[in-house]
Amino acid sequence: MKIHYTFCLTLAALFSACSSDTETIVTSVEEIAARPTAVDESLFPVDDGAKELRGTAAYKLRALLENADPAIGNSLGYQVIEKTQYQEIKEFTDDLVKECANNKEKYQKIFKWIVSNIRYSYEGTDNNPYSVFINKTAICQGYANLLKIMLHSQDIPCILVNGDLKPIGGHAWNYVCVDGTWYVSDPTNNGSFLMSSLSSYTHLDPYHFDAVLYEDEQFVYNFHDKNLNIKTVKHSSEKLVLPYSIGGYKISSFMPDCDLPGNIRELYIGSNITTFGDNAFLLSEHDKGLEMIYVDPTNKKFASENGIVYYKSGSTFSVCYIPAGMTRVELKPMKVIGKSLIFKNNSITEIVFPEGTEKIESYAIEFCPNLKVAYVPENTVIEENAFCEVHSEFKIIRRSTTGIHHVTM
């Protein structure tokens, strides 16, 4: 059962009436909004004239690979295989291609062997490349995995790609570089196409692959969710500035696949970044202490205010990402605060909802164990369980322009 207390107090009296946790209360939401930010606009990366990747995902990937070092296909990527298993496949492949005169013939021989000897089957299928080699059954992932290992054993660059086979759905295939010429290779469906001939493989829609496209002193880059992506931040100062381009192409996404360095407190994003992926999931998984994110005002997809990133569409804004290390969340005006706006956050202690917030829906704020105070306009509707699994001393402080406050405990 909730206990409600109503006070007609000055702010000073309110301090004395409540616990010491409320000592950080400011005088008004308007005062919070007017507070200067610490953004250093000189840090935003500038447009360096890099090309923007446009068109289909296959077109984008072709452009990137034409500009990349074929050696990016020399790694094993995501493949997990024991040395003895790899050696067994290599010895078999060595024998298979021993009569071949060049790499093109080797590629064609290996491709044909897989097409002819592996049977497509879901039942009891293990797509590990060695299991496919031994059992001779696989789905598309297994076909692509084995082709990669067999070509790797012959020092022929090969990349494993995941995406869609139109109109069927999820699929796996390969891109293979033979003496400088890239082929799009689909062993599951006996398809091998020159990468330069886009019209011949429009049914293959690549999303991402297992190779590193570029690497410099600070970052690692790949092709992920149809974008040139920053996948790894190797080191940084407390202020991380994402680069504008790499290899002559504009970087369009930031979806890290490993933890960000723990010392980073501020993130600066230029006009080039257009996605963090679905619900910024990878960023949230690997953000270990960001406190503020700043977005270049010229960015057409995102905006930032008080360190929070918003999607923008005309004059409409919706929350994209709240940094994991932010303790005080000061939101932009939004009519409705929907379910799971903030979910599983251990850092937040205070939230400010500005004037213009009409409703906070059930479970809008959930599993925030250190959240102690929410500042809510007097006329905002708060649905039942709008604040769920928060601190045991959590308070809702109702604000009004009259200076009269209501505290809900």
Side-chain angles (χ1 to χ4, degrees), residues 13-195:
L14 182 61
F15 283 162
S16 62
C18 299
S19 71
S20 60
D21 293 324
T22 61
E23 290 178 359
T24 58
I25 295 173
V26 295
T27 55
S28 71
V29 173
E30 290 76 15
E31 189 173 280
I32 293 169
R35 206 170 66 187
T37 62
V39 59
D40 183 351
E41 294 189 358
S42 69
L43 292 179
F44 289 126
V46 298
D47 186 339
D48 57 11
K51 298 176 184 177
E52 183 174 358
L53 290 167
R54 297 179 180 272
T56 66
Y59 183 89
K60 293 178 182 179
L61 185 49
R62 186 187 76 170
L64 290 169
L65 290 179
E66 286 177 340
N67 190 52
D69 184 347
I72 65 172
N74 289 340
S75 75
L76 285 176
Y78 302 141
Q79 300 304 308
V80 177
I81 185 169
E82 296 179 6
K83 289 183 179 180
T84 55
Q85 295 173 343
Y86 179 91
Q87 187 61 31
E88 184 177 341
I89 294 176
K90 175 174 169 45
E91 290 174 1
F92 174 85
T93 308
D94 288 345
D95 186 64
L96 179 68
V97 301
K98 64 184 178 183
E99 303 298 330
C100 295
N102 51 49
N103 281 343
K104 185 174 182 180
E105 289 186 7
K106 289 181 180 181
Y107 161 60
Q108 292 172 335
K109 187 83 170 183
I110 294 168
F111 179 86
K112 184 177 180 180
W113 183 88
I114 292 177
V115 170
S116 301
N117 289 275
I118 307 302
R119 180 175 60 87
Y120 193 94
S121 175
Y122 278 104
E123 295 182 9
T125 297
D126 180 352
N127 290 303
N128 176 277
Y130 184 74
S131 298
V132 176
F133 176 70
I134 294 298
N135 300 324
K136 305 295 189 294
T137 60
I139 60 172
C140 59
Q141 190 70 57
Y143 279 81
N145 290 348
L146 181 57
L147 179 61
K148 183 176 179 74
I149 294 297
M150 294 181 76
L151 291 175
H152 185 275
S153 76
Q154 304 303 305
D155 298 319
I156 298 175
C158 179
I159 292 169
L160 193 148
V161 178
N162 288 96
D164 277 341
L165 172 63
K166 300 176 182 178
I168 297 172
H171 191 48
W173 65 99
N174 307 84
Y175 278 59
V176 180
C177 189
V178 181
D179 297 329
T181 300
W182 283 97
Y183 292 84
V184 178
S185 183
D186 181 8
T188 307
N189 297 302
N190 191 20
S192 182
F193 318 95
L194 281 169
M195 184 181 73

Side-chain angles (χ1 to χ4, degrees), residues 270-400:
S271 61
N272 54 309
I273 300 296
T274 60
T275 181
F276 300 101
D278 291 341
N279 300 314
F281 174 75
L282 287 174
L283 179 56
S284 65
E285 283 287 298
H286 299 297
D287 174 3
K288 301 304 177 183
L290 280 175
E291 296 173 0
M292 306 291 282
I293 300 178
Y294 303 115
V295 179
D296 189 322
T298 64
N299 191 301
K300 295 180 180 180
K301 182 68 177 292
F302 300 110
S304 63
E305 188 169 308
N306 297 317
I308 299 170
V309 181
Y310 294 85
Y311 297 108
K312 65 180 182 182
S313 178
S315 60
T316 303
F317 295 85
S318 58
V319 173
C320 170
Y321 187 68
I322 297 173
M326 180 175 281
T327 57
R328 184 185 185 89
V329 173
E330 302 170 14
L331 294 166
K332 286 176 67 67
M334 292 178 287
K335 287 187 177 181
V336 178
I337 306 298
K339 181 179 179 181
S340 300
L341 175 76
I342 303 176
F343 182 77
K344 289 186 177 179
N345 187 300
N346 293 324
S347 297
I348 297 173
T349 60
E350 297 177 301
I351 301 178
V352 177
F353 297 91
E355 293 295 335
T357 305
E358 297 179 0
K359 181 169 67 173
I360 304 174
E361 295 183 342
S362 297
Y363 306 104
I365 315 298
E366 191 173 10
F367 297 109
C368 297
N370 293 308
L371 177 60
K372 293 184 178 181
V373 182
Y375 304 93
V376 183
E378 185 71 29
N379 58 353
T380 299
V381 174
I382 303 176
E383 292 188 348
E384 185 177 1
N385 293 320
F387 300 89
C388 185
E389 301 294 334
V390 293
H391 196 277
S392 59
E393 298 178 5
F394 174 71
K395 303 174 180 66
I396 296 173
I397 298 181
R398 289 285 198 173
R399 293 193 163 277
S400 72

